[in-house]
Amino acid sequence: MYIKSLQTLNFRNYDNLSLNLCPNVNVFIGDNAQGKTNILELIYYCGFAKSHRTNKDKDIIKWNCEETFIRLDIHKKRLDKIIDIKILKDGKKAVKINSIKVNKIGELIGTFNVVIFSPEDLKIVKESPGIRRKFMDMEISQLNVKYYNNLVNYNKILSERNSVLKCAKIDESMLDIYDMQLAQYGEYIIKARLEYLNSLNKYSRQIHSDITSGKEEINFEYISNVKNLDNIKESLLNLLRKSRKRDIEKRITSIGPHKDDFSILLNGVDAKAFGSQGQQRTSVLTIKFASLKIIKEVAGEYPVLLLDDVLSELDFSRKSYILKSINSIQTIITCTGIEDLTRYLDEHSKIFIVKDGIVKE
């Protein structure tokens, strides 16, 4: 899978941008705040119909404009795809795949697979469980549309249950219904996450060993209130019932996959609490490159890899690992200088200069 071309109107600091990309390495060079990351953002947006930088779609529309438009022309093994997305300032958006309107975002998810590695990804290791849940949910959703649909339904029921908990007079018969539904959707979500972490472990161990010259072993473990993983639905239902009194007092649902997490262990030690900055960066690098292999295994072809100004923050061995591993993957790199890249580029690579929202090849 690779992007053949991209176009956009009124996206961030771009008035009108049209680029042809090569199937291997594409490098965007420029000073900070010139628009390099905006190009990666618009590519990522076509995978999920959401930005990795903001939750507000209106933020990506150029200042004083009413709408923005994005088009990606993508080569795939089975059938090429053209993704068109129009985003209006009022938050509405229209998505088309090969000129056919998409009625639900779930119909877009998985059409175009992408993995992004940016400095902010260190949050996966260092920050709250919500960051790690979001990572899992995004990665699994682009491989399994049924997971995405179950997640949407789970969050809808969760919101409705929380609304009931906030009522002055609580109808517990409604809570019984919501608990059954949460247990049903939650079972699928937890099972899919466990399967994903198994795959992550399978690929990560060798990758991490290669990067660290065999000095470290990485492992991922799922953290949940559900302990009986042989009967998740019944266990989750019992936990919801047992926590009902507390939920009524707190007016919020305290049990379920929306509270789950996973740990990252380096030689059996928690990377969040005890890992050095270098170890945490290596953990994220491992996660991202394992994600590439999982997508290849499930989808049959590699996704597009986006590297957002990360090379300057890595030491030689980690940088070398990345650049030696992207031969068969379309990779789009942003950086402020090309010195470290020249030995890894060939006549098929493309280099773009970005300045003040203008891109020149």
Side-chain angles (χ1 to χ4, degrees):
M1 178 185 303
Y2 62 85
I3 301 165
K4 294 190 285 186
S5 65
L6 65 84
Q7 294 172 266
T8 190
L9 296 171
N10 303 326
F11 188 96
R12 294 285 190 182
N13 67 329
Y14 291 104
D15 293 317
N16 187 342
L17 180 64
S18 180
L19 297 174
N20 294 318
L21 302 180
C22 73
N24 35 23
V25 179
N26 300 266
V27 184
F28 290 83
I29 305 170
D31 294 333
N32 293 328
Q34 301 302 303
K36 304 188 303 296
T37 298
N38 296 343
I39 293 170
L40 303 191
E41 183 181 23
L42 73 86
I43 292 171
Y44 184 91
Y45 198 98
C46 289
F48 298 98
K50 64 165 52 179
S51 166
H52 67 291
R53 301 164 75 190
T54 178
N55 293 321
K56 298 178 181 177
D57 282 342
K58 66 179 182 179
D59 291 347
I60 67 177
I61 301 174
K62 187 176 173 67
W63 183 254
N64 283 336
C65 293
E66 294 301 314
E67 63 182 37
T68 187
F69 171 79
I70 310 168
R71 167 172 285 180
L72 278 196
D73 188 349
I74 304 157
H75 172 77
K76 300 186 73 173
K77 280 184 178 179
R78 293 175 185 165
L79 179 67
D80 288 1
K81 302 283 187 181
I82 296 177
I83 298 174
D84 292 322
I85 303 180
K86 181 185 284 187
I87 306 149
L88 304 179
K89 207 166 187 178
D90 62 5
K92 294 178 181 177
K93 60 186 126 190
V95 179
K96 292 182 180 179
I97 302 174
N98 290 350
S99 300
I100 299 172
K101 186 178 179 181
V102 167
N103 295 315
K104 295 181 179 179
I105 298 302
E107 296 173 38
L108 170 68
I109 305 294
T111 301
F112 168 58
N113 297 128
V114 59
V115 170
I116 188 166
F117 183 19
S118 69
E120 290 77 21
D121 285 323
L122 200 57
K123 293 177 182 178
I124 294 172
V125 182
K126 296 179 69 172
E127 295 197 7
S128 68
I131 302 291
R132 289 180 287 280
R133 283 195 301 272
K134 182 180 178 182
F135 163 75
M136 280 193 294
D137 291 341
M138 300 295 279
E139 293 300 313
I140 302 170
S141 291
Q142 69 173 325
L143 295 172
N144 182 351
V145 70
K146 189 175 179 182
Y147 179 86
Y148 174 82
N149 291 330
N150 272 267
L151 191 64
V152 168
N153 288 329
Y154 179 90
N155 286 329
K156 180 183 176 185
I157 299 302
L158 178 65
S159 177
E160 291 174 3
R161 187 181 192 269
N162 287 338
S163 294
V164 170
L165 291 171
K166 290 177 172 64
C167 293
K169 187 177 181 181
I170 294 174
D171 183 353
E172 292 206 34
S173 65
M174 286 299 298
L175 293 180
D176 289 335
I177 295 170
Y178 289 139
D179 289 355
M180 287 292 295
Q181 293 174 319
L182 286 179
Q184 177 186 335
Y185 294 125
E187 178 186 38
Y188 189 91
I189 291 167
I190 291 173
K191 281 184 175 179
R193 288 177 177 174
L194 288 169
E195 288 175 9
Y196 180 78
L197 286 184
N198 282 338
S199 295
L200 199 60
N201 275 320
K202 180 174 76 171
Y203 287 113
S204 292
R205 284 170 186 146
Q206 186 60 55
I207 292 170
H208 201 79
S209 179
D210 290 344
I211 298 172
T212 63
S213 302
K215 295 176 183 176
E216 290 179 6
E217 181 179 295
I218 195 167
N219 192 51
F220 305 94
E221 293 183 358
Y222 194 65
I223 301 171
S224 176
N225 284 304
V226 177
K227 304 306 178 187
N228 183 2
L229 299 177
D230 294 323
N231 194 347
I232 295 172
K233 183 177 178 180
E234 192 62 32
S235 297
L236 188 51
L237 187 58
N238 288 334
L239 286 168
L240 285 164
R241 287 169 177 165
K242 286 179 181 177
S243 66
R244 182 175 293 182
K245 183 178 178 181
R246 179 179 60 185
D247 289 355
I248 291 171
E249 290 174 355
K250 300 289 186 180
R251 299 185 177 274
I252 197 163
T253 305
S254 59
I255 294 293
H258 64 289
K259 293 289 187 179
D260 290 354
D261 192 4
F262 70 89
S263 60
I264 304 168
L265 304 175
L266 300 177
N267 294 338
V269 177
D270 185 16
K272 178 182 178 181
F274 302 105
S276 68
Q277 187 91 340
Q279 287 176 313
Q280 291 173 344
R281 287 190 194 283
T282 305
S283 299
V284 175
L285 175 57
T286 296
I287 288 170
K288 295 296 180 175
F289 273 80
S291 297
L292 294 175
K293 292 184 178 293
I294 292 169
I295 292 172
K296 173 68 163 58
E297 177 186 356
V298 176
E301 54 189 329
Y302 280 112
V304 173
L305 174 62
L306 310 177
L307 300 178
D308 186 15
D309 201 23
V310 295
L311 296 179
S312 61
E313 300 193 13
L314 298 173
D315 63 20
F316 176 79
S317 63
R318 292 166 178 83
K319 193 180 302 182
S320 180
Y321 179 86
I322 291 176
L323 297 172
K324 288 177 180 176
S325 302
I326 59 177
N327 292 334
S328 56
I329 304 169
Q330 185 184 47
T331 306
I332 301 168
I333 301 172
T334 66
C335 55
T336 54
I338 200 170
E339 295 79 12
D340 295 331
L341 293 173
T342 50
R343 59 182 290 194
Y344 299 97
L345 304 179
D346 57 29
E347 67 274 12
H348 303 296
S349 304
K350 282 194 171 187
I351 300 172
F352 301 89
I353 306 298
V354 183
K355 186 173 182 179
D356 294 330
I358 304 296
V359 181
K360 294 182 179 179
E361 186 175 341

